[in-house]
Amino acid sequence: METTLSDGDNLIVDKISYRFREPERFEIVVFPYQYEENTYYIKRIIGLPGETVQVADGIVYINGEPLDENYGNEPMENAGIAGEPITLGSDEYFVLGDNRNHSSDSRDATVGVLKREDLLGRAWIRIWPLDEFGVIRHE
């Protein structure tokens, strides 16, 4: 998630909001990595339930339209499984890291699309390092 977050940052995760509302596009979420115990990933929500997501020529498309976003540090070199359109189910989300050429995210088959129940919460406050202390900006 460089440059938004850095390796070694300590965060407080909001695990309550999603009990009362649905996750929104561009929110930064935390979820467990299914193949390694006690390993958690933090990524940005890009695709929402019912949408079709595709990555072509380094651009994210939602329902065939280019997504107006600028979170990637550089153009994506690898579309992964999103090279073909992926239609999300009624409880599925497509996530990407901000450091997209060095990110294991929904483009990687080992991560894939996330079910709603997989989302532990959203990044809320960075508590370490102290000079970066503050609320995480999601937009």
Side-chain angles (χ1 to χ4, degrees), residues 13-34 39-49 88-96 105-106 111-123 138:
V13 176
D14 170 9
K15 295 182 178 182
I16 296 173
S17 292
Y18 292 162
R19 293 180 186 205
F20 303 103
R21 68 170 182 81
E22 294 302 312
E24 298 175 4
R25 188 178 334 272
F26 304 133
E27 288 186 326
I28 300 169
V29 294
V30 177
F31 59 94
Y33 180 57
Q34 62 182 332
T39 299
Y40 299 89
Y41 280 6
I42 184 164
K43 306 293 175 190
R44 190 178 298 277
I45 293 175
I46 298 296
L48 300 171
L88 301 172
S90 63
D91 69 338
E92 292 181 328
Y93 295 83
F94 187 91
V95 297
L96 291 174
D105 49 39
S106 288
V111 176
V113 298
L114 302 177
K115 298 278 188 192
R116 173 71 171 80
E117 65 192 27
D118 296 330
L119 304 180
L120 298 178
R122 66 185 184 102
H138 292 262

Side-chain angles (χ1 to χ4, degrees), residues 28-116:
I28 300 169
V29 294
V30 177
F31 59 94
Y33 180 57
Q34 62 182 332
Y35 297 109
E36 195 169 332
E37 195 172 327
N38 296 319
T39 299
Y40 299 89
Y41 280 6
I42 184 164
K43 306 293 175 190
R44 190 178 298 277
I45 293 175
I46 298 296
L48 300 171
E51 295 180 332
T52 298
V53 180
Q54 184 173 15
V55 176
D57 298 322
I59 298 170
V60 177
Y61 291 86
I62 303 291
N63 298 329
E65 297 293 323
L67 180 63
D68 183 21
E69 56 100 25
N70 58 355
Y71 295 105
N73 290 339
E74 56 195 1
M76 278 183 282
E77 296 172 358
N78 183 0
I81 63 173
E84 297 295 321
I86 298 171
T87 300
L88 301 172
S90 63
D91 69 338
E92 292 181 328
Y93 295 83
F94 187 91
V95 297
L96 291 174
D98 287 357
N99 195 359
R100 302 206 172 146
N101 291 326
H102 307 282
S103 178
S104 293
D105 49 39
S106 288
R107 297 171 295 157
D108 184 331
T110 65
V111 176
V113 298
L114 302 177
K115 298 278 188 192
R116 173 71 171 80

